[in-house]
Amino acid sequence: MDLVVGRVVKAHGVTGEVVVEIRTDDPDIRFAPGSSLRGRPSRGGPESRYVIESSREHSGRLLVRLDGITDRTAADALRGILFIVDSEQLPPIEDPEEFYDHQLEGLQVVTTTGAAVGSVDEVLHTAAGELLSVRTEKGEVLVPFVSAIVTSVSLADQTIEIDPPEGLLELG
């Protein structure tokens, strides 16, 4: 299974660096010099292989230099590229309370009373914390991925149980 670990936002400067939106808990490993990542245009198209020459944090963003990208024009052409890895490359998680995003996507969400809510479309990482984007019959509901609301996750049963506060599951 392919997992997105970053997305090129834009070019930075004139020497070929790109700003990368991080979508991994391990940016120091994924974007380490010498690392190789697959890249895919966000709107589809053929994949390419990219080798990280260097990466550094700058004003809260990750700046990455890729082998062979030496000017702003070449860097700007990478805008929207998704950096992906294969899920088999991920190390196992030791903590039973921790999950990779792809493990949660597709799980069925039910309330503590047994009412079906929907299924997890994706895990959103925001400044305020993680949110589960749950697809329901009526639309999308965002559920904060916090222990006060998410009471249990069972990968074996493919379910997430939630105890939603009043109004959380109401749309619009």
Side-chain angles (χ1 to χ4, degrees), residues 79-137:
R79 184 185 301 250
I81 291 287
L82 299 173
F83 291 121
I84 51 180
V85 297
D86 196 329
S87 62
E88 277 81 54
Q89 295 178 333
L90 300 175
I93 297 177
E94 302 297 324
D95 185 346
E97 299 294 315
E98 296 272 328
F99 305 94
Y100 286 118
D101 292 358
H102 74 278
Q103 292 177 301
L104 301 175
E105 293 167 356
L107 297 187
Q108 296 302 306
V109 179
V110 297
T111 66
T112 52
T113 61
V117 177
S119 63
V120 177
D121 246 359
E122 68 178 310
V123 180
L124 305 172
H125 298 271
T126 70
E130 282 75 35
L131 297 170
L132 300 176
S133 170
V134 179
R135 186 177 354 105
T136 71
E137 289 180 2

Side-chain angles (χ1 to χ4, degrees), residues 42-55:
S42 59
R43 291 178 175 38
E47 286 186 5
S48 298
R49 175 84 44 194
Y50 297 96
V51 176
I52 307 297
E53 187 176 298
S54 66
S55 65

Side-chain angles (χ1 to χ4, degrees), residues 10-19 56 63 71-73 75-76:
K10 63 181 182 175
H12 177 82
V14 296
T15 61
E17 281 185 306
V18 293
V19 176
R56 63 188 174 102
L63 300 182
D71 61 35
R72 184 174 185 88
T73 302
D76 206 41

